[in-house]
Amino acid sequence: MELRRNAFKAAIQNGERQIGLWCSMSDSSVAEMLAGCGYDWLMFDTEHAALDPLSVLPLLQAVASYPVSAIVRPTSLNVAEIKKLLDCGAQTLLIPQIQNAEEARLAAASVAYPPEGIRGVAGLTRATGFGAIDGYARAAREEICLLVQIETKSALDDLEAICAVDGIDGVFIGPADLAASLGHADNPQHPEVKAAVADAVRRIRACGKPAGFLSLSQEWNREVDAAGSVFTAVDVDIAILRNGALARAKEWKSA
């Protein structure tokens, strides 16, 4: 059995635009349906959604046969949780709230086996094909994609040093927390925030790293895409559901 290739990692390393969808719902049937909708990647969120490694596992299984890449966001820079998600078969992780290069180095160490890193070794996991992938420990890091999330002013101040950390495969800008950090918690599209996001994307690309972004505003997504975002999440599953439900109710209530 061969180690599964990480198509998302290969694409962003080549600068190929990857359009994604943020997923917060725990139903594996929903995940499977979304996997066939044409997105390049789906991001399963354990930070703000009611998901954990046990509930993420069936989502990974549900989308595995589709031409879409699964990304998982752990709750935090938690070495034990990162290890568990990798063992469950996640190949791409988005680590939230990275504040500086030191934390970025810990994130990089968490996804690599010794001697380069600190990931614990287990043989009979979904990631290893339950022991069927020969040489998994030697080759795993080549197909693991580590994304770090920049969402505070202090992280922006250390952005170039974060990008320079060996093992960081992509850098994602989180606008909601960044807006709060800049004093605009109720207005993520404040001109200061939008300028900071565009500048951060350009700085990330200047460092030779792919940049990512998420917004529910399609206009803003297009602006950041034009600034150089390589992997952009263009909506959230629960927002799509709510907007559709609201529109249908309004259609019939006003008839």
Side-chain angles (χ1 to χ4, degrees):
M1 185 174 180
E2 294 185 358
L3 179 63
R4 182 163 49 91
R5 178 177 176 271
N6 190 330
F8 174 83
K9 181 176 182 178
I12 65 170
Q13 286 180 336
N14 290 331
E16 298 172 14
R17 188 166 171 255
Q18 299 288 287
I19 300 304
L21 181 70
W22 220 255
C23 300
S24 58
M25 301 173 70
S26 61
D27 192 299
S28 60
S29 295
V30 172
E32 185 175 7
M33 178 273 292
L34 292 173
C37 287
Y39 294 95
D40 298 303
W41 53 280
L42 302 176
M43 208 293 300
F44 300 122
D45 184 19
T46 78
E47 184 189 15
H48 289 297
L51 293 173
D52 57 22
L54 187 61
S55 52
V56 163
L57 176 57
L59 305 181
L60 295 174
Q61 293 169 325
V63 307
S65 64
Y66 289 82
V68 66
S69 295
I71 300 174
V72 182
R73 179 165 71 170
T75 55
S76 64
L77 177 54
N78 181 316
V79 174
E81 184 184 5
I82 289 169
K83 173 177 58 179
K84 189 177 290 291
L85 290 170
L86 292 173
D87 285 347
C88 284
Q91 284 189 306
T92 301
L93 297 180
L94 172 62
I95 313 300
Q97 290 285 345
I98 295 299
Q99 302 291 332
N100 49 52
E102 181 179 359
E103 290 187 355
R105 283 190 287 272
L106 177 58
S110 299
V111 302
Y113 287 122
E116 291 79 12
I118 58 174
R119 178 185 175 187
V121 180
L124 295 174
T125 64
R126 182 171 182 266
T128 70
F130 304 99
I133 299 176
D134 188 34
Y136 173 83
R138 292 191 303 273
R141 184 60 185 91
E142 296 176 12
E143 299 300 337
I144 289 172
C145 182
L146 175 63
L147 311 173
V148 293
Q149 189 161 343
I150 303 301
E151 43 194 334
T152 62
K153 184 180 183 303
S154 62
L156 286 182
D157 291 342
D158 209 28
L159 184 55
E160 280 74 17
I162 292 171
C163 290
V165 171
D166 187 34
I168 301 300
D169 298 304
V171 182
F172 183 90
I173 305 298
D177 281 298
L178 180 59
S181 179
L182 295 175
H184 306 291
D186 293 325
N187 186 14
Q189 294 194 58
H190 187 280
E192 182 184 1
V193 180
K194 295 185 77 171
V197 169
D199 179 63
V201 168
R202 286 190 287 265
R203 290 165 62 193
I204 293 165
R205 295 302 305 276
C207 291
K209 299 290 185 180
F213 181 69
L214 159 73
S215 174
L216 296 182
S217 165
Q218 301 313 306
E219 180 182 0
W220 194 9
N221 281 331
R222 292 186 182 94
E223 291 174 4
V224 179
D225 179 73
S229 178
V230 177
F231 56 104
T232 305
V234 297
D235 221 319
V236 178
D237 58 357
I238 199 165
I240 292 174
L241 175 61
R242 184 173 188 272
N243 289 338
L246 287 171
R248 186 67 74 219
K250 182 178 180 180
E251 173 189 346
W252 280 90
K253 289 283 188 179
S254 61

